[in-house]
Amino acid sequence: MKHLRHAEGETLSDEQSRIHVRQVHKVLEVLDKGGEDVKCLTWKKGLKVWDDFCAPNLKAKSLTGNTIKTYLKSVEIFGRFTEKGDFYKPELLTDLEKAILVQLQPRMQDYQKAVHRRTAVETTTHDVDESYSAMTPEDLNAFEQSDFAKHAITLIGKSLKNHLLNMQEFTDVHDYLLVTMLVENGSCPGPLENAQVKCFEQATFTKSKKRWTLVVDEHKTTRYQGPDELVMDNRLYGYMKIYVSYIRPAFVDSAAEEALFIKDDGKKFEKGTIGRRVEATFRKAGVRGDIRVTSTRVRKIFSGAAFQ
């Protein structure tokens, strides 16, 4: 993994490095169960990745085409290391095996293209199915008008009158605010995951638009798009102000915890987990129980409206 974090490795975080390592290990385990080295990648002149990993999964449809391609991408990156000759022990490989490993990079690229062509219908079918189950603005209105949302708002008001929430009440308020922030911004979960209390306290008010803007420095596309913004109208800002001032302090694990949104244990959400609250919250609100509501589905409401 340390080589993936190197400039040669092209990964941006330890998490991304671990994903690549896990995926290469899984492929190796399929090719040579219980093996201890990478020689299995050279077996059958390097064709074993397709014959033993790609082809069976495509036939059984045990993995989607896109998932298979991510595994192949990880093996491709591994191939770049071997091509440079720096990240394996040369004495363990014959000249032929080295030559085959060097060919991993272009071969995995070809395999990804082949998988893409063979699963194009699968992707199209998924898109058609998704169009029939797409969420609409009416679903968001139904969420806001739900008994769950009204109950959460009532609890926020009670907090101003020295009502100490129990754990379930805290979770309901927390989930309502988190999902409302996500919905009103058409945001992915990342900015909500990384928003900090100090960012909220530094939010700026735009008088002409009557909006508060919270700047989040870290999120998935920071490298390309810069800091993200979470925008709140006076109503949502008022709810969040009560949450930060009266509700969160009673449940936060320690004063050192900076995350704006915290779990039931008072600690920040682990990276990539906050999105699960979207499905759970819509389910509690009784909205769109026929599908798994995700932040992606919510965002597509806004992208579809913009397209129309």
Side-chain angles (χ1 to χ4, degrees), residues 240-252:
M240 288 297 302
K241 187 79 171 176
I242 296 171
Y243 165 78
V244 170
S245 301
Y246 297 93
I247 300 174
R248 182 183 176 279
F251 294 90
V252 70

Side-chain angles (χ1 to χ4, degrees), residues 15 48 51 57 110 113 209 236 240 251-252:
E15 180 189 19
K48 197 170 175 65
D51 293 346
N57 281 306
D110 291 341
K113 294 174 185 176
K209 296 182 179 180
L236 180 55
M240 288 297 302
F251 294 90
V252 70

Side-chain angles (χ1 to χ4, degrees), residues 170 247-259 262 265-267:
F170 167 72
I247 300 174
R248 182 183 176 279
F251 294 90
V252 70
D253 179 61
S254 71
E257 181 56 71
E258 299 179 332
I262 53 176
D265 63 2
K267 299 178 181 178

Side-chain angles (χ1 to χ4, degrees), residues 2 21 27 32-33 46 60 62-63 65 93 99 121 128 215 217 236 250:
K2 67 180 181 179
V21 170
V27 173
D32 182 23
K33 189 174 180 61
S62 50
L63 296 176
L93 301 170
V121 174
V128 171
V215 177
D217 295 329
L236 180 55

Side-chain angles (χ1 to χ4, degrees), residues 11-254:
T11 60
L12 304 177
S13 66
D14 286 337
E15 180 189 19
Q16 197 177 54
S17 301
R18 284 192 289 270
I19 290 172
H20 284 305
V21 170
R22 282 198 302 269
Q23 295 191 156
V24 171
H25 279 178
K26 286 182 180 179
V27 173
L28 292 174
E29 189 65 14
V30 170
L31 304 188
D32 182 23
K33 189 174 180 61
E36 298 180 352
D37 56 38
V38 299
K39 284 192 175 185
C40 58
L41 290 172
T42 70
W43 295 347
K44 297 173 66 175
K45 297 183 179 179
L47 303 179
K48 197 170 175 65
V49 174
W50 180 268
D51 293 346
D52 289 16
F53 179 77
C54 298
N57 281 306
L58 286 170
K59 184 177 181 179
K61 295 185 177 179
S62 50
L63 296 176
T64 67
N66 285 336
T67 300
I68 294 173
K69 285 188 287 186
T70 65
Y71 280 98
L72 295 175
K73 184 66 177 179
S74 295
V75 178
E76 177 193 337
I77 291 175
F78 176 77
R80 292 179 194 160
F81 297 148
T82 60
E83 182 180 25
K84 297 176 189 301
D86 297 328
F87 303 112
Y88 60 83
K89 296 181 179 180
E91 67 274 10
L92 298 179
L93 301 170
T94 67
D95 290 341
L96 177 59
E97 288 170 337
K98 294 174 189 175
I100 293 173
L101 284 176
V102 166
Q103 291 302 312
L104 275 177
Q105 181 180 350
R107 180 166 282 159
M108 292 307 106
Q109 293 173 346
D110 291 341
Y111 287 178
Q112 289 172 65
K113 294 174 185 176
V115 171
H116 178 75
R117 289 194 297 270
R118 296 187 184 203
T119 58
V121 174
E122 172 189 299
T123 303
T124 302
T125 301
H126 171 75
D127 291 342
V128 171
D129 290 342
E130 191 174 75
S131 69
Y132 282 104
S133 61
M135 295 185 68
T136 66
E138 287 72 25
D139 294 328
L140 302 185
N141 291 334
F143 172 78
E144 191 60 38
Q145 296 301 318
S146 67
D147 291 339
F148 166 79
K150 293 175 182 177
H151 177 60
I153 293 171
T154 298
L155 291 174
I156 292 171
K158 285 184 177 181
S159 297
L160 277 175
K161 301 177 181 179
N162 298 320
H163 172 71
L164 183 62
L165 304 185
N166 60 39
M167 184 59 71
Q168 184 57 57
E169 290 174 333
F170 167 72
T171 301
D172 288 345
V173 167
H174 166 278
D175 286 349
Y176 169 74
L177 292 174
L178 190 155
V179 169
T180 300
M181 183 84 81
L182 182 144
V183 166
E184 296 199 3
N185 283 273
S187 171
C188 59
L192 299 174
E193 203 170 71
N194 294 305
Q196 298 182 348
V197 172
K198 67 179 181 181
C199 297
F200 176 80
E201 294 172 341
Q202 295 169 356
T204 57
F205 181 67
T206 304
K207 189 173 182 180
S208 60
K209 296 182 179 180
K210 296 182 180 179
R211 291 287 188 272
W212 292 86
T213 303
L214 185 160
V215 177
V216 181
D217 295 329
E218 181 185 350
H219 60 97
K220 186 175 181 180
T221 57
T222 299
R223 180 186 179 192
Y224 308 102
Q225 299 179 359
D228 204 351
E229 295 182 348
L230 295 173
V231 179
M232 301 163 282
D233 58 16
N234 281 324
R235 167 180 160 277
L236 180 55
Y237 179 80
Y239 291 160
M240 288 297 302
K241 187 79 171 176
I242 296 171
Y243 165 78
V244 170
S245 301
Y246 297 93
I247 300 174
R248 182 183 176 279
F251 294 90
V252 70
D253 179 61
S254 71

